[in-house]
Amino acid sequence: MSASAKKLPGAVEAIAMPFLNTLIAFLLSGLLIWALGEDPFYALSLLFDGAFGYQEGIGYTFYYATNFIFTGLAVSVAYHAGHFNIGGEGQAMLGGLGLTLAVFWLGDTAPVLSVIIAILGAALFGGAWAFIPAWLQATRGSHIVITTIMFNFIASALLAYLLVGPLQRPGGQMPESSDFPEGAGLMKFDELMSVLGFSFEQSPLNVSFLIALLMALAVWFLLTRTRFGYEMRVAGKNQNAAAFAGVSVPRVTIIALMMSGALAGMMGLNELLGEQLRLIGNFTLGYGFVGIAVAFMGRNHPLGIVLAAILFGVLYQGGAEIAFEITTISSDMIVVVQGLVIIFAGAMPHLMRKPVTAAYARLIGKGAA
Amino acid sequence: MEFLTDIVLLTDSTLRIAAPLILAALAGLCAERAGIVDIGLEGKMLGAAFAAASAAAITASAWAGLAAGILFSVALALLHGYVSINQRGNQIVSGMAINIMVAGLAPLLAIAWFSRGGQTPFLDSSMRFTEITLPFADVLQDVPFLGAIYSDLISGHNLLTYVAFAAVPVVAWVLYKTRFGLRLRAVGENPEAVDTAGISVTLLRYQAMIIAGILCGISGSALSTALGAGFIRDMSAGKGFLALAAMIFGKWKPVPTLLACLLFAFVDALQGRLQGVSLPLIGEIPVQFTIMLPYVLTVIILAGFVGKMEAPKASGIPYEKDR
């Protein structure tokens, strides 16, 4: 085998390898369903029915995908800078708090302005919640994985305190705030469609999806077209080289992690400003962790992340259908799938290198002969 | 007098809470001293807690539970070992993947097998590791001070708590006084040298992962079959990460790690005692803030305001023979 045959072309490297890894993760998930005594093909058909079978289902699929685009981009921005931010949960909670405060501050007098301030508030609070772990990582070398996990627990307790205390709905029993003032919310997709003259069933899908796509574009621009994005990627690949080239690694670390926190914080736009229209305790439901799987599956590329987020949207919406129809399989199955995707697509990217290289070499060999 | 009872109660629960932390921290220590970062302590604990509770519920034996807990935890450790050693993958990502996978797998299986909303059946005392009264504890009760310490504090814990405290000198002895321990430490500092001496880096690191798996297995089993009476969703509640922080605070050494675990356990015991108690000057602290205490302490410790922390040199770096 010649040296050139050993090197895989970019397309195989970027698409075929992660695809195979993800496929293995899904095959194992199917095996698990089979081991629990259920029919994986029936489960698969339920999955697609639930996710795409009717308009409301499609709405839900993209509604979940919106969350995962935000959290996936968050993980990915930090990862490009060489850090593993698993504090998406906490940052999203604080983002939700930020937008809630903005809405209650301005919502009664100027609903439209309050929505704009709320978007900024979500990003600001999410970014701020990432600041302390980021600063400790940059200046003291404190393990970012442990500190961000700790900040998740702290955020959860803080939100729980606020929602049974100062922010609780007056006279309410649940850990949730009052409803947002009239008009302080994001437009639903079905409303948008009817404005444009189409009809679409009601669903929680709202314009946050478009904001998420815009953010994906912004992250792509940041990473590939700006000086700071370049500095981030250099620092992520090799801190010493970056420092030698005059990049302030601590500064890049702090800013990159705060941008990551801001993106995670914006998840609240979809959940709270788009659907719930009030702040609820633990509204993040593990979506921050889904971002990890989404980022790795999407190979940390914004377009890949959008596609992976939609796939996880399918898993969440279709998975709910499975959990409803097959009682032995609970929605925890999706968390298992996430773990499998992370371990195969994230931790073992080279697992299939040998067989793929061999198959490719044979293919090329045939073509030449 | 009430103050003294408080102290005794607090110390007692500190020891109890410390046990799973100590075992998990020692697991992390063995892995990292051999050069493998193990963020997956949390997942191994949770997985072992579930396996132990399930096996104990089915066989009605705490020992079968412990065996199942250890087996499952070792299996997860070997998976992490395969990714870290053979695949030379990112160890942090692999550890986190194991945490997430187990967080889903345990309740999924619990629902499929027991249909109790993600819990395992309640274990009555015959299926658990219950309190052991040490010899002469009753007789010595009346001896002033020392008798009280022996009877009230040292006696009356479950077996796994004693195992946890005994594991500290055992691990220290293996690490510092045996040839295996010397090699284990060497492979975490300078794997090239170990390889040059003709000793297999791969084998040593797998051995370290198996030890870590066993220790984490006992730790998780303690959660569900000794401290608790069954598996509850997310019952590890970040303890694996606290253990990791304790190990870092303990500078990757067994005895300081034990002390760090005791500190964490004390804060946890204290927050339990503080709930609903009105303090002078401050008044009653809301429960959500007392719950935060161990987590805030972890961040403060990791901030390194208590001294510099140096990890084993090769920890987290995959070994490539022909590099």
Side-chain angles (χ1 to χ4, degrees):
Chain A
M1 195 188 293
S2 71
S4 63
K6 265 191 174 169
K7 203 167 160 20
L8 293 169
V12 176
E13 184 85 20
I15 296 167
M17 301 265 290
F19 176 78
L20 277 175
N21 278 322
T22 310
L23 194 68
I24 297 173
F26 286 131
L27 284 177
L28 282 177
S29 312
L31 270 178
L32 181 60
I33 292 179
W34 174 76
L36 288 173
E38 302 296 337
D39 179 1
F41 295 101
Y42 176 54
L44 197 66
S45 74
L46 284 176
L47 187 82
F48 279 105
D49 260 6
F52 295 119
Y54 49 106
Q55 285 187 350
E56 191 193 357
I58 298 173
Y60 266 102
T61 297
F62 283 90
Y63 167 70
Y64 288 127
T66 307
N67 292 333
F68 307 149
I69 296 176
F70 283 125
T71 56
L73 289 173
V75 173
S76 146
V77 165
Y79 204 74
H80 276 290
H83 296 291
F84 198 26
N85 172 20
I86 51 174
E89 284 289 290
Q91 290 143 14
M93 284 181 204
L94 263 286
L97 177 64
L99 80 83
T100 302
L101 293 179
V103 164
F104 283 137
W105 176 41
L106 290 169
D108 284 323
T109 45
V112 179
L113 180 68
S114 84
V115 168
I116 296 168
I117 302 290
I119 296 174
L120 295 177
L124 197 72
F125 271 55
W129 197 245
F131 173 72
I132 296 176
W135 176 69
L136 289 175
Q137 168 75 55
T139 60
R140 322 276 315 186
S142 313
H143 209 309
I144 190 87
V145 172
I146 309 179
T147 50
T148 46
I149 276 274
M150 293 300 129
F151 267 68
N152 286 347
F153 287 113
I154 298 171
S156 166
L158 182 68
L159 218 60
Y161 166 74
L162 291 173
L163 288 175
V164 296
L167 278 179
Q168 191 173 32
R169 180 196 301 270
Q173 295 297 318
M174 304 284 285
E176 58 180 40
S177 74
S178 307
D179 289 337
F180 290 168
E182 193 75 26
L186 291 169
M187 198 185 220
K188 285 280 171 61
F189 184 70
D190 49 287
E191 293 165 3
L192 185 70
M193 278 292 140
S194 68
V195 170
L196 297 175
F198 300 98
S199 84
F200 194 85
E201 276 176 35
Q202 262 193 350
S203 79
L205 183 62
N206 58 78
V207 294
S208 309
F209 181 69
L210 301 178
I211 301 178
L213 291 183
L214 209 63
M215 284 298 131
L217 195 67
V219 168
W220 172 81
F221 187 81
L222 170 83
L223 287 172
T224 58
R225 294 290 182 273
T226 67
R227 185 193 168 92
F228 183 78
Y230 179 71
E231 289 183 353
M232 248 174 69
R233 285 185 294 132
V234 175
K237 284 268 188 293
N238 188 334
Q239 293 208 345
N240 294 334
F244 190 72
V247 173
S248 164
V249 176
R251 176 177 152 270
V252 168
T253 298
I254 293 176
I255 297 178
L257 283 168
M258 286 182 73
M259 286 195 296
S260 166
L263 284 165
M266 291 175 79
M267 197 197 97
L269 299 181
N270 188 44
E271 281 290 320
L272 304 177
L273 215 50
E275 168 68 5
Q276 301 289 351
L277 299 175
R278 61 190 195 280
L279 180 63
I280 333 175
N282 289 337
F283 71 90
T284 52
L285 292 173
Y287 299 154
F289 292 115
V290 184
I292 305 171
V294 165
F296 284 121
M297 198 170 146
R299 281 216 119 202
N300 281 302
H301 188 286
L303 179 64
I305 288 169
V306 170
L307 296 176
I310 293 172
L311 193 118
F312 266 94
V314 171
L315 284 180
Y316 263 78
Q317 169 54 19
E321 193 87 3
I322 296 178
F324 184 73
E325 294 285 335
I326 310 177
T327 47
T328 34
I329 299 173
S330 65
S331 52
D332 299 297
M333 183 71 211
I334 305 160
V335 183
V336 181
V337 178
Q338 277 167 50
L340 288 170
V341 166
I342 298 171
I343 205 159
F344 282 100
M348 296 195 281
H350 306 301
L351 183 67
M352 299 305 286
R353 183 167 299 275
K354 264 188 193 157
V356 169
T357 311
Y360 181 72
R362 215 174 310 141
L363 209 69
I364 294 296
K366 265 189 196 146
Chain B
M1 201 54 220
E2 199 192 330
F3 179 68
L4 204 69
T5 340
D6 263 1
I7 296 275
V8 169
L9 278 176
L10 205 55
T11 317
D12 196 51
S13 43
T14 299
L15 297 179
R16 204 154 24 91
I17 296 170
L21 277 181
I22 295 168
L23 289 161
L26 289 175
L29 189 148
C30 289
E32 291 217 8
R33 287 309 284 261
I36 294 179
V37 172
D38 198 353
I39 290 280
L41 296 177
E42 175 87 1
K44 287 204 276 288
M45 273 173 96
L46 191 68
F50 167 72
S54 306
I58 291 167
T59 63
S61 152
W63 288 100
L66 180 64
I70 291 176
L71 267 178
F72 190 50
S73 170
V74 168
L76 291 172
L78 289 176
L79 172 64
H80 186 58
Y82 175 73
V83 176
S84 312
I85 302 164
N86 297 69
Q87 287 289 322
R88 296 186 201 116
N90 186 323
Q91 300 171 10
I92 306 273
V93 176
S94 162
M96 205 55 215
I98 287 174
N99 291 338
I100 292 176
M101 195 167 67
V102 174
L105 191 61
L108 175 78
L109 294 181
I111 288 170
W113 292 344
F114 304 109
S115 325
R116 282 166 183 262
Q119 299 189 8
T120 59
F122 178 80
L123 301 173
D124 64 44
S125 57
S126 65
M127 311 173 193
R128 293 170 46 215
F129 291 99
T130 49
E131 286 74 28
I132 300 170
T133 308
L134 293 184
F136 312 116
D138 299 333
V139 187
L140 292 172
Q141 181 114 48
D142 298 327
V143 179
F145 196 65
L146 284 179
I149 287 185
Y150 181 76
S151 312
D152 292 343
L153 289 184
I154 299 179
S155 171
H157 289 285
N158 67 74
L159 179 70
L160 299 184
T161 303
Y162 296 115
V163 170
F165 281 88
V168 178
V170 172
V171 167
W173 179 77
V174 170
L175 274 183
Y176 294 108
K177 299 288 178 207
T178 66
R179 183 152 51 164
F180 171 71
L182 177 68
R183 288 172 175 179
L184 193 88
R185 284 182 292 132
V187 87
E189 295 287 340
N190 192 342
E192 287 83 4
V194 175
D195 198 15
T196 313
I199 303 159
S200 166
V201 174
T202 305
L203 180 66
L204 268 170
R205 288 192 166 167
Y206 267 113
Q207 285 168 328
M209 285 319 292
I210 291 173
I211 296 173
I214 294 171
L215 289 168
C216 258
I218 306 173
S219 168
S221 307
L223 285 183
S224 64
T225 62
L227 296 181
F231 172 84
I232 308 168
R233 191 185 280 266
D234 295 328
M235 76 183 306
S236 49
K239 286 195 175 64
F241 293 101
L242 296 187
L244 213 54
M247 173 205 76
I248 295 172
F249 188 33
K251 298 184 164 56
W252 292 265
K253 296 191 178 84
V255 175
T257 296
L258 164 72
L259 297 177
C261 288
L262 286 173
L263 173 67
F264 275 110
F266 173 73
V267 171
D268 207 1
L270 187 69
Q271 70 93 358
R273 291 285 296 164
L274 280 180
Q275 286 180 15
V277 177
S278 189
L279 291 179
L281 294 177
I282 319 169
E284 190 177 321
I285 305 173
V287 57
Q288 292 87 0
F289 286 106
T290 59
I291 286 176
M292 282 181 201
L293 276 178
Y295 306 126
V296 173
L297 176 74
T298 308
V299 174
I300 293 172
I301 283 175
L302 289 178
F305 295 121
V306 276
K308 198 163 168 50
M309 289 140 198
E310 293 240 3
K313 278 195 192 61
S315 126
I317 307 163
Y319 179 63
E320 289 177 59
K321 215 179 172 78
D322 52 4
R323 194 170 47 175

